[in-house]
C-alpha cells in the first residue's frame, strides 16, 4: 500500500498505529515490535507532528514523514546507544523530489564542538534522474568526510534496507546488506573516531533546496506536495563482542572480530568502482597533496 500524493487523500487514508521500535536495555539480540513497546514509548516527534503519520501497510507497521511548503517532519529515538547496528527499510519520495532530503542518522548530544554523527542523507532529484545517497561522519566535532553514491535500483518504487553499523573498529554503511562504505578507527594515528559518546537515532524529511539538488540550481516544485517518505522494519541491535569479552568497548585492539569478510570487501569494492560519485579522499580541488586527511593515506 502506498499513500496517495494528494493531501486530503493522504490524511483520510492514514490510521494511527505503532511503527517503530528501538532496542531497550542491554540485550544483544535484534529487537522488534512486541506487546509491551509501542511507538510513543520508543520515539519522540521532534517537529512536524502534524506531518507525521502511522499506518498499517498490509501486516507491516509503517511510519510516513511528509513535507509541504510550510514544514517537514522529524522523529528521534528516546534511547541513546554506544556501539550498535541500526537497520531501517525506507521508500523515498516518488516523482520530482528535487530539493527534498530524507535522512536516517545518529548524533551525540554533548557540546556541538565535539559532537559525533553518522549521516545518511537521500538527496532528491527531478523525475527520471537518480537519487544521491550522501554520507558523512563526524568525530570529536570534525566532519568533512563526505562520500556520495548513486544506487543500483530505484529507491522510490519499493523499500530497501539501509544500515548504520558502529563498533569500536569500524563505522560501516550498508545498503540491502552490501557494504558501501567503511571508516576504520585510526585513533592511534591521530584520526578522531567516535568511541565514548552515546548517540541518538533520528529520521527526517525536510526542504534543502538551497543545496540538495545539483548544488541548489534545481528548486523544489511545491505543486507536487505533500512529499512523503516511508520508514518501516526499524531495528537496533547492540554490538556483540567476541566470546569472553565483557562488552564491545573492551574488545582487544588486535582482535579481528569486527573485520570485514572477503565477500563484504568484494561488495565494497564493487559499489565503489561502479556507484561512488564523490569521495573527499579523491578531491584534489579541495585538498592539495599535503592537506588530505590522514585517514585517506591509511589502509
Amino acid at each position: 500500500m502506498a499513500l496517495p500524493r494528494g493531501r486530503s487523500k493522504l490524511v483520510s487514508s492514514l490510521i494511527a498505529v505503532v511503527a517503530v521500535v528501538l532496542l531497550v536495555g542491554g540485550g544483544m539480540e535484534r529487537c522488534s515490535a512486541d506487546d509491551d513497546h509501542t511507538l510513543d514509548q520508543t520515539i519522540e516527534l521532534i517537529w512536524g507532528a502534524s506531518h507525521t503519520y502511522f499506518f498499517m501497510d498490509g501486516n507491516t507497521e509503517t511510519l510516513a514523514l511528509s513535507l509541504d511548503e510550510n514544514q517537514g517532519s522529524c522523529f528521534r529515538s528516546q534511547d541513546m546507544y554506544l556501539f550498535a547496528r541500526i537497520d531501517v527499510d525506507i521508500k523515498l519520495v516518488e516523482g520530482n523530489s528535487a530539493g527534498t532530503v530524507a535522512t536516517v542518522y545518529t548524533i551525540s548530544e554533548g557540546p556541538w564542538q565535539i559532537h559525533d554523527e553518522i549521516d545518511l542523507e537521500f538527496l532528491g532529484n527531478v523525475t527520471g534522474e537518480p537519487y544521491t545517497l550522501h554520507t558523512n561522519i563526524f568525530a570529536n566535532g570534525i566532519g568533512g568526510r563526505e562520500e556520495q553514491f548513486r544506487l543500483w535500483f530505484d529507491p522510490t518504487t519499493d523499500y530497501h534496507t539501509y544500515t548504520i553499523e558502529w563498533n569500536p573498529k569500524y563505522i560501516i554503511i550498508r545498503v540491502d546488506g552490501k557494504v558501501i562504505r567503511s571508516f576504520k578507527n585510526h585513533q592511534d594515528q591521530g584520526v578522531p573516531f567516535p568511541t565514548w559518546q552515546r548517540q541518538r537515532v533520528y529520521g527526517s524529511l525536510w526542504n534543502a533546496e538551497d543545496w540538495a539538488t545539483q548544488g541548489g540550481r534545481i528548486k523544489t516544485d511545491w505543486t507536487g506536495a505533500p512529499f512523503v517518505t516511508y520508514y518501516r522494519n526499524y531495528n537496533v541491535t547492540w554490538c556483540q563482542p567476541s566470546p569472553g569479552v565483557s562488552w564491545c568497548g573492551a574488545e582487544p585492539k588486535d582482535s579481528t572480530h569486527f573485520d570485514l569478510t572477503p565477500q563484504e570487501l568484494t561488495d565494497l569494492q564493487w559499489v565503489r568502482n561502479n556507484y561512488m560519485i564523490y569521495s573527499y579522499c579523491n578531491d584534489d580541488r579541495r585538498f592539495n597533496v599535503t592537506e588530505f586527511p590522514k585517514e585517506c593515506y591509511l589502509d
Side-chain angles (χ1 to χ4, degrees), residues 1-5 10 14 19-20 45 48 51-55 57 61-68 71-75 88-104 120-125 131 151 155-160 162 202-207 224-232:
M1 168 184 162
L3 296 185
R5 295 295 297 271
L10 174 66
L14 297 170
V20 181
L45 304 180
H51 291 60
T52 305
Y53 310 100
F54 310 101
F55 68 103
D57 188 352
E61 297 162 339
T62 303
L63 167 64
L65 300 184
S66 72
L67 165 70
D68 61 23
Q71 193 172 38
S73 47
C74 176
F75 70 88
V88 60
D89 295 349
I90 303 175
K91 184 164 66 171
L92 298 174
V93 173
E94 297 180 41
N96 184 355
S97 58
T100 70
V101 175
T103 72
V104 59
L120 274 69
E121 298 180 303
F122 300 90
L123 312 185
N125 220 324
Y131 263 82
L151 299 172
T156 72
T157 60
D158 204 351
Y159 291 91
H160 294 269
Y162 304 93
Y202 283 75
S204 63
L205 178 62
W206 56 290
N207 176 35
F227 304 103
V228 184
T229 295
Y230 308 95
Y231 296 75
R232 71 183 190 187

Side-chain angles (χ1 to χ4, degrees), residues 149-179:
F149 305 84
R150 301 293 195 212
L151 299 172
W152 51 96
F153 50 82
D154 182 348
T156 72
T157 60
D158 204 351
Y159 291 91
H160 294 269
T161 304
Y162 304 93
T163 301
I164 296 171
E165 187 173 343
W166 170 34
N167 61 56
K169 193 168 187 176
Y170 283 101
I171 292 169
I172 298 168
I173 296 173
R174 303 173 187 267
V175 176
D176 287 339
K178 290 185 181 295
V179 178

Side-chain angles (χ1 to χ4, degrees), residues 28 167-169 238-259:
M28 295 295 182
N167 61 56
K169 193 168 187 176
W238 288 96
C239 177
Q240 177 71 57
S242 58
V245 178
S246 59
W247 75 291
C248 281
E251 190 73 28
K253 289 185 178 181
D254 59 352
S255 170
T256 61
H257 179 63
F258 298 116
D259 287 353

